């Protein structure tokens, strides 16, 4: 029976909010010291607890577990052995009748055998299946999730392709030629303006988009490359787009990044994500995070390691944006951290993995409710050597925005 007023119902919610706020409020204490830091110091991670049994330092109230390890079957229900060098990934709701409330984590393999593997979870969070959704490709690094629930897996090799994969394992993967043939990194779909943005992992890489006139069909898609005009540090730089004359060259034909002389160089394009009319991407060569206003086609730098007052993020790589618009940036090397970043460029570590200096963090992805986060360490330590490890982290993610509140 519904109470006549909401006093009774509000109390548990309020108590829960206060409890979770107290758990994470210690994070905000770190901000003054982070701002004053001239280099990475212990002050930037003072809010993290000592390492847990998985070697992971997390804020109070967060927990980690290992869900898959390279070379081992993640579940007794499948013979699939989890792949090496797990990289970019995404989570999908499972709509099958026999797994209502479950989800799937699709994950690339950045190795010479390439491809994509998938983990299926039930509503309790148990791994109940593992399988392959892409084979016979090379160094599948990042990619992107589409609004129509497929996974775009990108090959990080010269003249590499993007492959559209079915995370549910029902349909065969297919190459998407209109996304170009180059050393791909990540993809992000803009469903409003009907385009797919792409990064290129080269020192003289470019920033691309493919405009889809028959969205969501790829038919007639045109690859374009960006030219930047203006000052990216003042936020008034404009993007001009040029058609790439030959989007799918084959060796030894001229590669896409050299086909338009007016195009702008981006030093080592990495992670890329669409959120609420913006795309965010990273460039590892200069340790920068970029923001693109898609409606106005303007671009700016929101984080630059060389000039930021919050120099806790380096080795920038994969990017994910949560439901509240907070960026989660994975470090390739650096301090082996996942670092939170606000639109204003405030950076603070969410977690750190200890004793994995030769690895990199990849593939951050959340379940639809935002309560579970998955990610990988490409070369984590184990009794059998440095192996890929896939983790799950749970905790009060809904309160991490307090890191960016005024102190």
């Amino acid at each position: 029976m519904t109470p006549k007023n909401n006093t009774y119902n509000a109390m548990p919610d309020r108590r829960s909010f206060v409890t979770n706020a107290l758990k994470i409020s210690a994070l905000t204490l770190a901000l003054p010291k982070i701002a004053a830091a001239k280099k990475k110091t212990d002050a930037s991670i003072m809010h993290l607890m000592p390492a847990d049994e998985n070697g992971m330092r997390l804020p109070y109230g967060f927990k980690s577990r290992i869900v898959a390890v390279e070379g081992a079957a993640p579940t007794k229900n499948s013979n699939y052995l989890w792949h090496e060098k797990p990289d970019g990934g995404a989570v999908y709701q499972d709509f099958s009748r026999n797994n209502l409330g479950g989800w799937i984590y699709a994950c690339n393999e950045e190795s010479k055998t390439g491809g994509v593997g998938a983990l299926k979870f039930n509503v309790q969070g148990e791994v109940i299946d593992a399988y392959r959704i892409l084979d016979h490709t090379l160094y599948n690094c990042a990619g992107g999730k589409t609004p129509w629930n497929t996974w775009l897996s990108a090959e990080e090799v010269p003249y590499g392709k993007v492959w559209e994969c079915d995370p549910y394992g029902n349909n065969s993967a297919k190459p998407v030629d209109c996304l170009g043939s180059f050393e791909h990194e990540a993809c992000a779909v803009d469903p409003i303006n009907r385009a797919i943005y792409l990064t290129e992992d080269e020192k003289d890489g470019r920033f691309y988009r493919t405009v889809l006139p028959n969205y969501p069909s790829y038919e007639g898609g045109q690859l374009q490359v960006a030219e930047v005009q203006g000052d990216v540090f003042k936020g008034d730089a404009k993007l001009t787009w040029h058609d790439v004359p030959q989007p799918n060259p084959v060796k030894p034909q001229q590669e896409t990044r050299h086909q338009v002389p007016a195009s702008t160089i981006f030093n080592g394009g990495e992670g890329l994500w669409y959120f609420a009319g913006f795309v965010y991407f990273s460039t590892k060569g200069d340790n920068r995070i970029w923001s693109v206003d898609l409606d106005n086609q303007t671009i700016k730098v929101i984080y630059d390691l060389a000039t930021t007052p919050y120099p806790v993020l380096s080795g920038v790589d994969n990017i994910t944006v949560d439901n509240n618009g907070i960026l989660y940036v994975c470090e390739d090397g650096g301090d082996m951290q996942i670092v939170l970043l606000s639109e204003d460029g405030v950076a603070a570590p969410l977690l750190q993995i200890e004793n994995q200096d030769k690895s990199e963090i990849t593939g951050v992805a959340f379940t639809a409710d935002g309560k579970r986060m998955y990610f990988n360490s490409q070369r984590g330590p184990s009794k059998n050597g440095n192996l890929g490890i896939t983790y799950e982290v749970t905790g009060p993610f809904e309160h991490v925005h307090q890191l960016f509140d005024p102190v």
Side-chain angles (χ1 to χ4, degrees):
M1 182 176 179
T2 303
K4 293 182 179 180
N5 60 64
N6 62 3
T7 302
Y8 178 79
N9 283 345
M11 286 302 293
D13 292 338
R14 184 179 180 185
R15 187 175 295 118
S16 176
F17 172 83
V18 172
T19 299
N20 286 328
L22 288 173
K23 288 180 180 179
I24 204 165
S25 62
L27 299 178
T28 61
L29 298 176
L31 284 178
K33 293 187 178 181
I34 294 173
K38 300 301 181 184
K39 61 181 181 178
K40 285 196 173 184
T41 66
D42 288 342
S44 69
I45 55 172
M46 63 181 293
H47 57 280
L48 301 183
M49 302 293 288
D52 63 13
E53 65 274 12
N54 298 317
M56 193 179 304
R57 296 191 62 181
L58 292 159
Y60 183 78
F62 288 78
K63 296 180 180 180
S64 77
R65 68 175 177 130
I66 294 172
V67 295
V69 177
E70 174 191 337
T75 172
K76 63 182 180 180
N77 299 328
S78 171
N79 293 324
Y80 178 65
L81 305 182
W82 197 234
H83 52 267
E84 64 177 313
K85 296 183 179 178
D87 207 281
V91 173
Y92 300 81
Q93 289 182 269
D94 189 359
F95 302 104
S96 59
R97 290 185 178 181
N98 61 354
N99 193 36
L100 292 178
W103 57 90
I104 294 163
Y105 178 62
C107 176
N108 285 341
E109 178 180 346
E110 191 188 11
S111 76
K112 62 183 179 181
T113 55
V116 183
L119 299 172
K120 180 180 286 192
F121 297 82
N122 64 16
V123 69
Q124 288 80 29
E126 302 167 328
V127 181
I128 59 172
D129 200 5
Y131 48 92
R132 199 76 164 165
I133 61 173
L134 175 65
D135 273 314
H136 310 301
T137 54
L138 293 170
Y139 294 96
N140 294 76
C141 193
K145 182 179 180 179
T146 70
W148 48 92
N149 279 329
T150 61
W151 171 242
L152 298 175
S153 181
E155 293 181 291
E156 191 186 338
V157 293
Y159 308 98
K161 292 183 178 294
V162 174
W163 296 76
E164 186 169 41
C165 310
D166 177 9
Y168 305 99
N170 298 320
N171 301 303
S172 299
K174 296 180 179 180
V176 185
D177 289 338
C178 71
L179 298 182
S181 301
F182 54 88
E183 192 152 347
H184 284 278
E185 182 68 31
C187 312
V189 180
D190 172 7
I192 306 301
N193 298 293
R194 301 185 172 191
I196 300 177
Y197 289 80
L198 307 110
T199 52
E200 181 176 29
D201 192 359
E202 291 275 8
K203 290 182 178 179
D204 60 345
R206 301 303 199 265
F207 184 47
Y208 301 88
R209 74 177 183 184
T210 293
V211 178
L212 301 177
N214 299 299
Y215 179 93
S217 169
Y218 299 117
E219 184 179 357
Q222 173 62 54
L223 183 70
Q224 299 178 326
V225 63
E227 176 188 359
V228 178
Q229 298 173 326
D231 190 340
V232 296
F233 294 100
K234 293 183 179 179
D236 58 358
K238 295 287 291 185
L239 285 176
T240 299
W241 294 95
H242 303 275
D243 288 352
V244 176
Q246 191 175 7
N248 300 108
V250 294
K251 193 175 181 178
Q253 293 174 336
Q254 188 178 46
E255 295 180 73
T256 55
R257 67 186 184 279
H258 298 144
Q259 292 182 25
V260 179
S263 61
T264 299
I265 291 174
F266 289 88
N267 188 351
E270 290 284 348
L272 175 68
W273 198 270
Y274 170 88
F275 181 80
F278 288 77
V279 291
Y280 303 91
F281 69 96
S282 62
T283 48
K284 66 181 179 185
D286 48 21
N287 274 299
R288 291 174 180 169
I289 307 295
W290 305 74
S291 171
V292 179
D293 181 332
L294 298 175
D295 286 342
N296 297 309
Q297 286 298 305
T298 57
I299 184 170
K300 64 180 180 179
V301 174
I302 62 172
Y303 180 88
D304 180 9
L305 180 61
T307 61
T308 178
Y310 306 97
V312 299
L313 171 60
S314 62
V316 298
D317 204 293
N318 285 182
I319 287 180
T320 300
V321 183
D322 71 9
N323 294 338
N324 298 309
I326 296 174
L327 279 69
Y328 290 65
V329 186
C330 298
E331 290 190 327
D332 179 353
D335 285 337
M336 280 296 288
Q337 295 174 348
I338 296 175
V339 178
L340 303 178
L341 185 69
S342 73
E343 176 73 29
D344 297 327
V346 180
L350 173 71
L351 63 82
Q352 180 175 29
I353 305 177
E354 294 188 340
N355 303 316
Q356 295 195 27
D357 295 342
K358 296 181 179 180
S359 187
E360 62 183 276
I361 294 177
T362 64
V364 168
F366 286 89
T367 51
D369 59 12
K371 295 181 179 180
R372 298 173 188 259
M373 181 182 79
Y374 296 93
F375 72 94
N376 313 291
S377 172
Q378 273 207 352
R379 299 172 295 278
S382 75
K383 63 181 179 180
N384 297 319
N386 291 335
L387 302 177
I389 303 172
T390 299
Y391 299 93
E392 177 192 83
V393 170
T394 55
F397 287 104
E398 67 271 25
H399 296 296
V400 298
H401 67 278
Q402 294 185 33
L403 276 168
F404 310 120
D405 290 342
V407 179

